[in-house]
């Protein structure tokens, strides 16, 4: 493949909003198969997945070693929160392209005794020295691939602080025990997976984040050769970092030598030097928020509120579709796909207009999810044809006083239920694959600030998601929990996938709740996503893809259909007849482990 083709494939992230081009009347195959603007390239279509079942506890994560560690923690008497924290730390080592302690996370935690859901925001923040025009040059926004690598895109990491906070509330094992399995694995070495090895090579011709930074180059290209699948790689620097964190808690990361190394690497980056300071790290604070819930056909579906757009937009899509008799439609039908795509377009117009960090912008979440508003928006949805134009709804918002800085991706999804029925659904990210490419003390730093709009205003209107000091960039991460009519947990799900996360998650919820699919069937079903490229339909991936008749019918309804691979990483757990049943995405390398 030529360099140019790869650049087109991998480097065209934004825009992803679903303002589709005019329909052409023909399905288009994406030239490289891999649809543009996905944070990680597709790497798999497994056919060997068998759903696990457990009357006790269960973990599902994107990597076999992380799941093994999560199961070990549960067997040792750990809670769901303990297992989630240990798995998130393990993923720093074994899935470094996607998440880690140099990034952030959103998580929902369910308390089986009180049946309460807590939402925890460990999103990165912009440095105090950030400015709205930091991604502009000569009055125009700099191209996205130019600003991803280096220090300017690095937000203050939130993962360890949020894990520490949720552990303080719902942990059962000592904090140091959550670090121990990863310290051991980093010391012994882990086996590089095909997905990780492939991702190293894939990004060489697009942005090349790893070879630009001496630390990443040395770690991922030992002896000058890229790590290959099957190689055993140790990470003594990470083992030392985690040993300090085990002893001193997250303070070991946010103050002292590790913090100094982070700041030096960000500010001293040869390309795009950044503005992160020791003060930014010292005062980072996770936020406990109220989970956002909506009743859908008798189920209570709960997501994470802003600054992620995930919860609000997933719930909007469901709310817009509730009046339709979707149960009468087959999961792969053209009618169902049409309604879904149109609901996405309506919800997305509001997402783009209104959603951002609520500490800085008045985000009208309650209005967006109110019955009258959803009914009025849903009435626009025409089952017989695609709407020509979709505008955001007109909602009143008031000014918010931007707070002073508080004193004080790529991406992965994991789910866990413990023996007491407590649960965690958590999406964790360093943003794009390999984040900023900056390597410090055994881990990669995120490029999450590129989730801000790079332009502070459009057409004279201030952009809600513009960069501001200490603000959290808008996310799409959508960790979700569903409660049954008795208030008991029945489903956990979420995914990576950039802004397509919302659609992957909503589709699985609809397949389970409307069509009665198991979570494994729903996850394996071909994806669809309405984006700026058109209505993207996934090619066959383990299960038969969209039929020719469906594609034809969608074109007749006015859709511009694009075929390609849609790289979700959906992981879920569902309660079926009193037992927990797993859902693992065949497109990645995830593993479910039942703990009896
Ligand atoms: N940075 C993205 C977000 O927060 C996630 C990217 C990904 O899925 O890889 O929404």
């Amino acid at each position: 493949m030529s360099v140019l083709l790869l650049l087109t494939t991998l480097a065209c992230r934004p825009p992803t909003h679903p303002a589709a081009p005019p329909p052409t009347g023909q399905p288009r195959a994406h030239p490289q198969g891999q649809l543009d603007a996905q944070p990680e390239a597709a790497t798999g279509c497994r056919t060997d997945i068998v759903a696990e079942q457990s009357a006790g506890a269960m973990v599902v994560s994107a990597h076999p070693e992380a799941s093994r560690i999560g199961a070990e923690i549960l067997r040792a008497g750990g809670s769901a929160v303990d297992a989630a924290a240990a798995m998130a730390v393990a993923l720093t080592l074994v899935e470094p392209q996607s998440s880690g302690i140099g990034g952030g996370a959103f998580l929902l935690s369910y308390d089986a005794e009180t049946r309460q859901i807590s939402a925890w925001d460990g999103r990165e923040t912009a440095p105090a020295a950030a400015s709205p025009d930091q991604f502009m040059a000569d009055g125009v926004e700099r191209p996205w691939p130019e600003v991803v690598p280096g220090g300017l895109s690095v937000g203050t990491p939130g993962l360890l602080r949020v894990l520490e906070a949720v552990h303080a509330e719902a942990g059962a094992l000592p904090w140091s025990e959550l670090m121990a399995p990863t310290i051991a694995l980093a010391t012994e070495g882990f086996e590089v997976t095909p997905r990780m090895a492939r991702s190293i090579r894939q990004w060489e011709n697009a942005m090349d984040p790893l070879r630009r930074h001496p630390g990443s180059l040395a770690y991922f290209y030992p002896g000058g050769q890229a790590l290959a699948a099957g190689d055993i790689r140790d990470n003594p620097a990470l083992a030392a970092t985690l040993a300090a964190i085990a002893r001193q808690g997250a303070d070991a990361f946010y103050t002292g030598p590790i913090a100094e190394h982070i700041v030096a690497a960000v500010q001293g980056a040869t390309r795009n030097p950044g503005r992160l300071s020791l003060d930014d790290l010292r005062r980072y604070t996770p936020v406990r928020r109220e989970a956002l819930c909506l009743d859908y056909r008798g189920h209570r579906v709960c997501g994470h509120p802003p600054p992620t757009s995930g919860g609000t937009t997933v719930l909007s899509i469901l709310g817009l579709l509730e009046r339709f008799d979707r149960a009468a439609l087959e999961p792969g039908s053209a009618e169902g796909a049409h309604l879904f795509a149109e609901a996405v377009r309506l919800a997305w117009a509001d997402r783009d207009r209104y959603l951002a960090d609520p500490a800085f912008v008045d985000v009208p979440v309650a209005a967006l999810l109110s019955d009258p508003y959803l009914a009025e928006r849903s009435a626009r949805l025409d089952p017989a044809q695609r709407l020509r134009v979709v505008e955001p709804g007109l909602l009143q918002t008031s000014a918010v006083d931007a707070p002073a800085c508080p004193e004080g991706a790529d991406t992965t999804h994991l789910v866990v239920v413990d023996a007491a029925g407590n649960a965690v659904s958590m999406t964790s990210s360093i943003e794009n694959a390999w984040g900023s490419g900056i390597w410090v003390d055994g881990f990669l730093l995120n490029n999450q600030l590129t989730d801000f709009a790079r332009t502070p205003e459009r057409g004279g209107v201030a952009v809600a998601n513009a960069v501001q000091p200490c603000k959290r960039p808008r996310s799409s991460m959508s960790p979700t929990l569903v409660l049954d009519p008795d208030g008991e947990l029945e489903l956990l799900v979420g995914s990576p996938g950039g802004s397509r996360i919302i659609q992957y998650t909503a589709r699985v919820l609809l397949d389970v709740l409307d069509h009665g699919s198991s979570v494994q069937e729903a996850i394996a079903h071909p994806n669809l996503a309405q984006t700026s490229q058109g209505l993207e339909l996934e090619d066959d991936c383990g299960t038969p893809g969209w039929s020719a008749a469906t594609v034809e019918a969608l074109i007749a309804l006015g859709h511009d259909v694009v075929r390609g691979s849609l790289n979700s990483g959906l992981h879920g757990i569902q309660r079926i007849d009193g037992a927990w049943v797993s859902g693992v995405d065949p497109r990645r390398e995830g593993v479910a482990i039942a703990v009896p």
Side-chain angles (χ1 to χ4, degrees):
M1 189 183 284
S2 74
V3 168
L4 185 67
L5 283 184
L6 255 171
L7 276 171
T8 320
T9 310
L10 297 173
C12 300
R13 214 37 216 288
T16 54
H17 54 84
T24 59
Q26 291 295 322
R28 289 181 286 125
H30 190 268
Q32 292 86 42
Q34 166 75 20
L35 291 159
D36 290 345
Q38 300 187 79
E40 286 196 59
T43 44
C45 280
R46 288 154 58 191
T47 52
D48 60 342
I49 295 171
V50 180
E52 293 289 327
Q53 196 164 329
S54 170
M58 179 172 279
V59 297
V60 186
S61 85
H63 194 284
E65 289 289 2
S67 294
R68 175 187 62 76
I69 286 172
E72 227 171 68
I73 292 287
L74 290 176
R75 278 190 210 103
S79 66
V81 159
D82 291 330
M87 287 194 283
V89 168
L91 289 164
T92 312
L93 175 70
V94 295
E95 200 194 22
Q97 68 272 31
S98 300
S99 72
I101 61 175
F106 291 99
L107 75 91
L108 296 181
S109 122
Y110 173 77
D111 181 321
E113 206 176 299
T114 61
R115 297 185 179 180
Q116 291 300 308
I117 296 175
S118 311
W120 291 91
D121 169 352
R123 183 66 160 170
E124 295 87 337
T125 50
S131 62
D133 62 355
Q134 71 173 47
F135 294 125
M136 307 277 286
D138 302 326
V140 285
E141 61 181 49
R142 293 175 64 195
W144 179 80
E146 241 185 47
V147 293
V148 170
L152 199 58
S153 65
V154 179
T156 314
L159 184 66
L160 280 169
R161 278 285 185 229
V162 80
L163 293 180
E164 189 179 57
V166 71
H167 173 260
E169 185 174 283
L173 296 179
W175 170 257
S176 60
E177 282 185 34
L178 313 182
M179 307 295 140
T182 305
I183 295 173
L185 190 58
T187 308
E188 288 156 20
F190 69 100
E191 187 174 328
V192 173
T193 64
R195 180 177 184 81
M196 176 176 161
R198 211 171 143 195
S199 185
I200 295 174
R201 305 314 298 251
Q202 275 168 334
W203 287 91
E204 283 175 351
N205 294 316
M207 300 197 293
D208 204 10
L210 298 177
R211 290 187 299 182
R212 286 175 193 276
H213 189 269
S216 294
L217 180 64
Y219 181 78
F220 294 104
Y221 292 80
Q225 292 298 314
L227 287 174
D231 285 356
I232 303 296
R233 188 65 175 111
D234 61 353
N235 187 342
L238 183 63
T241 294
L242 294 177
I245 292 165
R247 281 192 307 273
Q248 300 160 39
D251 279 354
F253 180 97
Y254 289 91
T255 59
I258 299 171
E260 282 161 20
H261 300 161
I262 293 172
V263 167
V266 168
Q267 294 189 0
T270 42
R271 191 178 155 108
N272 296 323
R275 304 173 184 180
L276 192 73
S277 71
L278 284 173
D279 269 352
D280 292 319
L281 284 161
R282 184 180 50 78
R283 65 186 158 212
Y284 181 86
T285 322
V287 185
R288 187 187 187 144
R289 302 187 186 271
E290 201 148 317
L292 200 57
C293 300
L294 188 81
D295 289 328
Y296 180 75
R297 302 192 205 279
H299 306 268
R300 193 149 182 78
V301 183
C302 298
H304 201 293
T308 180
S309 61
T312 316
T313 313
V314 166
L315 296 181
S316 296
I317 293 167
L318 265 52
L320 293 167
L321 291 174
E322 194 172 12
R323 76 181 171 95
F324 296 98
D325 182 12
R326 287 183 37 92
L329 305 171
E330 288 298 312
S333 71
E335 297 92 321
H338 167 70
L339 291 175
F340 180 83
E342 292 294 272
V344 167
R345 290 175 71 211
L346 285 159
W348 221 267
D350 286 335
R351 171 193 184 269
D352 274 356
R353 171 72 185 83
Y354 295 112
L355 296 188
D357 184 346
F360 290 76
V361 177
D362 178 18
V363 188
V365 174
L368 287 167
L369 296 178
S370 68
D371 288 343
Y373 184 74
L374 286 170
E376 186 269 317
R377 294 287 281 172
S378 178
R380 297 168 192 232
L381 219 161
D382 183 350
Q385 61 177 336
R386 181 179 181 277
L387 295 170
R388 260 175 214 285
V389 182
V390 172
E391 301 279 2
L394 287 176
L395 293 169
Q396 291 291 337
T397 55
S398 45
V400 169
D401 290 333
C405 294
E407 268 308 310
D410 223 11
T411 305
T412 199
H413 189 78
L414 60 87
V415 283
V416 45
V417 180
D418 68 21
N422 304 307
V424 171
S425 181
M426 169 176 184
T427 317
S428 182
S429 177
I430 54 169
E431 214 300 283
N432 204 53
W434 311 109
S436 65
I438 295 181
W439 181 258
V440 185
D441 292 346
F443 58 90
L444 286 164
L445 290 173
N446 68 84
N447 68 298
Q448 214 69 251
L449 300 189
T450 58
D451 272 1
F452 280 119
R454 278 163 292 142
T455 311
E457 58 161 60
R458 269 194 206 102
V461 179
V463 173
N465 187 35
V467 187
Q468 286 176 261
C470 302
K471 191 176 178 181
R472 294 170 190 232
R474 180 177 68 202
S475 167
S476 298
M477 290 189 257
S478 309
T480 306
L481 297 175
V482 183
L483 308 182
D484 70 11
D486 296 326
E488 282 194 45
L489 184 64
E490 59 172 327
L491 180 65
L492 307 84
V493 73
S495 180
S499 58
R500 290 179 183 84
I501 290 172
I502 291 168
Q503 303 192 51
Y504 297 150
T505 305
R507 183 190 62 69
V508 168
L509 290 167
L510 291 165
D511 281 3
V512 173
L513 302 179
D514 289 349
H515 300 304
S517 305
S518 71
V519 71
Q520 183 60 58
E521 286 165 347
I523 287 173
H525 191 274
N527 279 316
L528 77 167
Q530 172 65 57
T531 74
S532 53
Q533 295 175 53
L535 177 52
E536 302 169 353
L537 299 182
E538 186 181 23
D539 290 334
D540 299 5
C541 183
T543 49
W546 298 86
S547 74
T550 297
V551 173
E552 218 170 279
L554 283 166
I555 291 169
L557 285 162
H559 293 277
D560 188 29
V561 172
V562 195
R563 305 302 305 262
S565 63
L566 280 168
N567 181 29
S568 57
L570 287 152
H571 293 136
I573 299 179
Q574 180 184 15
R575 187 164 46 80
I576 303 178
D577 298 332
W580 298 113
V581 179
S582 64
V584 174
D585 200 316
R587 303 159 187 89
R588 298 202 182 196
E589 297 170 333
V591 164
I593 301 181
V595 181

